Amino acid sequence: MTARESILARIRTALGDTAGADEQPVPRDYLTSHVPPDDPAALVDLLHRNLADYRALVHQCHEDELPQRIAGLLAGRGSRTVAVPDGLPAGWLAAAASAVELVPDRGTLTAARLDTVDSVVTGCALAVAETGTIVLDAGPGQGRRLLSLVPDHHVCVVRAPEQVVASVPLALPRLDPRRPQTWISGPSATSDIELDRVEGVHGPRTLEVLLVGAVLTA
């Protein structure tokens, strides 16, 4: 008998005969949300506050203002090059196209090339209000995970209210588990044992979120 077999045999002996034991269902009576999930304005306000608490820069605008707002954010950052994921709506960067070089990614940009790019603009799959989290799943306009990790400045567009959900339990059924997911809660940050915060270690130092739609907060 090998050591492994000996250990497993001792475990079986200690557990005894449980083959006939009745299996008890796992209780699922926990809350799926701590805030009303059917109040769009309240969810957008909560998302805004939690994103800001994570040190993301949050802006709001209506759909027709989006190209100008993106152009303004890029100009304010001093960006000269912008990575563009495949499938990003062409109109989003229309106002910025004359001032920056657009660097399209069709799966060919290397980490070294992206390291020379100033900013990236993406959409998202959805955003979670209770946790201030944005989820990307590599869908159209979101790009590969590399795009949201290497450039130092990430501008992410969230459509409100359709892409805003109250909680993680309500978010998961809307996501395809077969797709690569990136969950972002604020800009990249870490801290050592002394709790000294360092940003930009494994992602962008600056995350700017544009909440776009009719349901806006004051």
Side-chain angles (χ1 to χ4, degrees):
M1 179 180 292
T2 66
R4 178 177 181 274
E5 292 170 338
S6 176
I7 292 171
L8 292 177
R10 291 169 62 185
I11 292 174
R12 293 190 190 98
T13 300
L15 291 176
D17 184 12
T18 59
D22 293 334
E23 294 185 2
Q24 298 298 321
V26 177
R28 305 288 185 183
D29 55 352
Y30 47 77
L31 290 175
T32 58
S33 172
H34 294 86
V35 295
D38 54 355
D39 186 344
L43 291 182
V44 172
D45 179 64
L46 180 61
L47 175 65
H48 189 154
R49 288 188 281 114
N50 285 333
L51 284 168
D53 191 50
Y54 276 125
R55 301 192 187 183
L57 304 176
V58 187
H59 316 273
Q60 300 188 25
C61 70
H62 293 284
E63 183 72 29
D64 58 354
E65 302 171 311
L66 181 57
Q68 290 295 337
R69 293 301 299 272
I70 291 177
L73 295 182
L74 296 175
R77 177 77 178 184
S79 298
R80 296 184 178 181
T81 52
V82 179
V84 183
D86 198 26
L88 190 80
W92 287 11
L93 291 170
S98 61
V100 300
E101 175 191 354
L102 304 183
V103 183
D105 177 50
R106 295 180 178 85
T108 57
L109 292 180
T110 64
R113 177 67 179 98
L114 283 169
D115 196 36
T116 68
V117 172
D118 297 320
S119 302
V120 60
V121 177
T122 75
C124 71
L126 51 80
V128 183
E130 284 187 352
T131 60
T133 302
I134 295 171
V135 184
L136 278 64
D137 67 358
Q142 299 173 52
R144 300 174 294 153
R145 180 175 288 125
L146 198 66
L147 289 182
S148 63
L149 292 179
V150 180
D152 204 45
H153 177 226
H154 182 186
V155 176
C156 186
V157 176
V158 179
R159 295 189 179 279
E162 58 265 34
Q163 288 187 316
V164 180
V165 297
S167 64
V168 171
L170 295 179
L172 291 176
R174 292 180 52 172
L175 296 168
D176 186 345
R178 297 168 296 181
R179 300 189 65 84
Q181 297 175 14
T182 303
W183 294 58
I184 303 171
S185 297
S188 166
T190 188
S191 61
D192 58 19
I193 195 171
E194 300 294 334
L195 299 182
D196 292 327
R197 181 182 172 98
V198 180
E199 297 183 351
V201 176
H202 42 66
R205 287 183 179 85
T206 305
L207 171 65
E208 300 206 60
V209 179
L210 268 167
L211 301 177
V212 181
V215 182
L216 301 177
T217 59

